[in-house]
Amino acid sequence: MGVMRSARPIVAALFVFGCATSGASYPSRVSGTAVPAIVFPLAADSVRFTSGFGDPRTGGRAHHGQDMFCPKRTPILAVVNGTVDWVATMRPKAGKSYSILLRGDDGNQYFYDHLNNDNPGTKDNLGDPEFAYAPGLRNGKRVTAGEIIGYVGDSGDAEPSGPHLHFEIHLARWENPVDPAPALRAALSRRRALSAAKSAP
């Protein structure tokens, strides 16, 4: 339940998928909004998108991200170069989730939620931070686009729906959310294209 164990950072780019990028933003326009170029945030190509941006939530709230369903403990990747924040050093209270805020060098903020809170082989909701975050991850740590920063889970209010990553993009500042779907789909297409090019004879 204490501070994370320190360990050598694990970099997924090239080592896992060959999807390294500088983390720089090369904006395109979708419905008048700049869309940053990012690395796809999951080390999996087969994901199910659901609960899209703007979907209603209890209390008159709106959903500010995209939910991507995939197996528990799927590695979560830094989408750009930046500095991590909001990393828990102790197990959250019941009903609360493990999450990460990535403050990108591109000036945008990227929010990851519902990281794993189960001990291996269980659904006990008693997992310490070492099962939510990559080894050595801590507040203020610098990360590179494509680096593993955490693991998919169902912490917080996600348990009824199953393991997934809730992902948000806030342009320039917090509380300025935009639909991350265009950036996510473009990132996944780039990775698939790169993978196909590498496997071509």
Side-chain angles (χ1 to χ4, degrees):
M1 260 207 215
V3 178
M4 301 290 301
R5 294 193 309 250
S6 61
R8 185 176 59 179
I10 302 173
V11 178
L14 298 178
F15 177 70
V16 177
F17 289 105
C19 60
T21 179
S22 67
S25 178
Y26 304 99
S28 59
R29 291 274 166 184
V30 175
S31 301
T33 301
V35 177
I38 60 174
V39 167
F40 193 67
L42 291 166
D45 286 352
S46 180
V47 299
R48 179 170 56 92
F49 285 77
T50 185
S51 296
F53 186 82
D55 286 356
R57 290 293 184 267
T58 57
R61 298 177 300 120
H63 193 244
H64 286 161
Q66 288 285 337
D67 289 346
M68 294 171 284
F69 285 75
C70 60
K72 185 193 295 187
R73 296 281 298 171
T74 297
I76 295 169
L77 312 179
V79 294
V80 295
N81 298 342
T83 304
V84 296
D85 202 352
W86 298 5
V87 175
T89 57
M90 299 181 66
R91 190 188 314 151
K93 294 179 180 179
K96 300 297 182 181
S97 61
Y98 282 115
S99 60
I100 298 172
L101 180 68
L102 174 57
R103 301 183 187 277
D105 290 351
D106 61 2
N108 301 319
Q109 300 189 30
Y110 303 88
F111 180 61
Y112 306 73
D113 201 18
H114 305 311
L115 278 66
N116 179 58
N117 68 336
D118 295 321
N119 282 297
T122 76
K123 286 182 60 66
D124 61 5
N125 300 321
L126 298 175
D128 288 334
E130 65 184 291
F131 300 117
Y133 303 115
L137 200 76
R138 63 187 183 281
N139 290 319
K141 181 175 174 58
R142 294 281 305 162
V143 295
T144 301
E147 183 174 341
I148 296 175
I149 57 175
Y151 305 98
V152 169
D154 57 8
S155 61
D157 61 2
E159 185 146 3
S161 54
H164 68 277
L165 174 65
H166 170 90
F167 180 76
E168 300 179 10
I169 297 177
H170 294 253
L171 289 183
R173 58 181 173 80
W174 182 248
E175 295 187 339
N176 188 31
V178 296
D179 186 357
L184 290 167
R185 296 189 187 282
L188 188 54
S189 293
R190 283 192 300 272
R191 188 165 79 191
R192 287 173 172 166
L194 180 58
S195 178
K198 285 178 174 287
S199 61

